[in-house]
Amino acid sequence: MLVVGANGAGKTNLLESLHLGTQGFSPRTRSDAQLVRFGADAARVILRGTRADSPVESEVTLTPAAGKRAALNGARLRAAEQLRAELQTLVFTPDRLTVIKGAPAVRRAYFDRALGRLSPARAGLPAEYAAAVGQRNVALRRIAQGFSSAEAVAPWTEQVAALALALTEARRETVTALDEPFGALAVELGLEGARLRYNAQAPTAADLEARLDRDLERGTTGLGPHLEDVAVVAGDRDLRSFGSQGEQRVSVLALLLAEARLIEARNGVPPLLLLDDVLSELDGRRRSALRRLLPEAGQTFVTATDAVSLLERPDQLVQVAPGKAE
């Protein structure tokens, strides 16, 4: 589906509402108050569709004074973010280029979210590991301040080491699964030799103990997957530092499409794809390639300022103007 309209007409708002209604949160902001129209007391998104030939209805209500409520097929959910476990949505927005050109923390967060979508049973690993590191850091600072003894950090060292191993293995499996389809899709989009590299080794408890003095001095845990990076390369070039804007955009698109293929292969149901302003820096050949690579099953929303941007006739065209879509 191609969504067209002038700048500021509301195309991005439409995609944002689809993301909110399927994932329980906005891809743009974590402040729910920003999603409510000026002068309104609340906002509501209701989506109806099918998944594997079964009807699906989701509803998310935002009331700044009372919080956020969500329901799936009429059943109230404990938290709106639970929608993510049932409805898969992948989104491209122009700021997603930070996945390639941003700091390592941005890439870690991206691949940890992919880990959760591809391996739901291990979705909580990054948060569990981060909590253990946080507790170890608190223990380190208490020892440095003289409020505790070195023995207090030992249990957290063991916990961090165990979770570091589990998280490193889960990340490596995720990166390995994405690597081949990512490289193939990048070639289709005109980028040769694209690969993902994750060479991290999880620290053992002995490794952490060996650097205890340095960690005490700094008050932080200086070893582990919370400091590792996933490199996105083309040949010998790290695209973070040596990729053009177009190559970085192609890389993000290839990552998204690779994950979409894996989700469909594993779940039997393709994810909803939301591609906002994806065409603006792609030449005609790459636009045509993107159109061919979009999943035939499932549904994809692409925004553009005019209908000729996609070069090929979309399955459905939606014209957006302020306050309406038709």
Side-chain angles (χ1 to χ4, degrees), residues 91-101 110 182 185-186 189-191 194 232 239-240 242-257 274-283 286-287 290 302-304:
V91 60
F92 173 93
T93 59
D95 61 9
R96 283 294 195 272
L97 295 186
T98 58
V99 171
I100 306 299
K101 63 183 182 181
Y110 177 88
F182 165 70
L185 287 160
L189 291 168
L191 179 60
V232 184
L239 293 176
R240 178 191 181 190
F242 302 104
S244 69
Q245 186 90 345
E247 288 175 328
Q248 291 169 345
R249 179 173 290 247
V250 163
S251 297
V252 175
L253 280 171
L255 275 173
L256 182 143
L257 294 173
L274 307 176
L275 309 182
D276 188 28
D277 193 25
V278 72
L279 305 171
S280 62
E281 295 184 17
L282 300 181
D283 58 33
R286 284 174 169 163
R287 290 183 185 186
L290 175 62
V302 180
T303 68

Side-chain angles (χ1 to χ4, degrees), residues 139-317:
L140 289 169
R141 289 191 287 270
R142 286 182 59 82
I143 294 168
Q145 294 165 0
F147 297 134
S148 187
S149 64
E151 288 74 19
V153 79
W156 293 114
T157 296
E158 295 288 343
Q159 180 107 359
V160 167
L163 289 170
L165 178 61
L167 178 56
T168 299
E169 289 179 347
R171 278 184 184 168
R172 184 174 294 114
E173 289 178 17
T174 300
V175 171
T176 299
L178 287 168
D179 184 40
E180 184 176 346
F182 165 70
L185 287 160
V187 169
E188 292 284 340
L189 291 168
L191 179 60
E192 298 285 342
R195 299 295 303 272
L196 304 175
R197 293 178 181 168
Y198 183 64
N199 300 319
Q201 295 295 324
T204 64
D207 294 330
L208 292 168
E209 289 288 352
R211 59 169 295 123
L212 182 58
D213 289 345
R214 279 176 289 175
D215 286 354
L216 285 169
E217 181 181 344
R218 298 174 182 177
T220 60
T221 301
L223 197 63
H226 61 292
L227 300 172
E228 301 290 355
D229 196 4
V230 179
V232 184
V233 304
D236 295 328
R237 292 183 298 130
D238 187 326
L239 293 176
R240 178 191 181 190
S241 301
F242 302 104
S244 69
Q245 186 90 345
E247 288 175 328
Q248 291 169 345
R249 179 173 290 247
V250 163
S251 297
V252 175
L253 280 171
L255 275 173
L256 182 143
L257 294 173
E259 186 178 351
R261 288 188 176 184
L262 288 179
I263 288 173
E264 183 175 8
R266 296 185 181 192
N267 300 342
V269 179
L272 174 66
L273 297 183
L274 307 176
L275 309 182
D276 188 28
D277 193 25
V278 72
L279 305 171
S280 62
E281 295 184 17
L282 300 181
D283 58 33
R285 183 175 65 83
R286 284 174 169 163
R287 290 183 185 186
S288 182
L290 175 62
R291 179 67 178 87
R292 293 195 310 271
L293 294 171
L294 293 178
E296 294 183 2
Q299 197 164 26
T300 300
F301 287 78
V302 180
T303 68
T305 54
D306 56 68
V308 300
S309 298
L310 199 58
L311 298 181
E312 299 179 30
R313 184 176 178 83
D315 296 326
Q316 189 171 351
L317 180 67

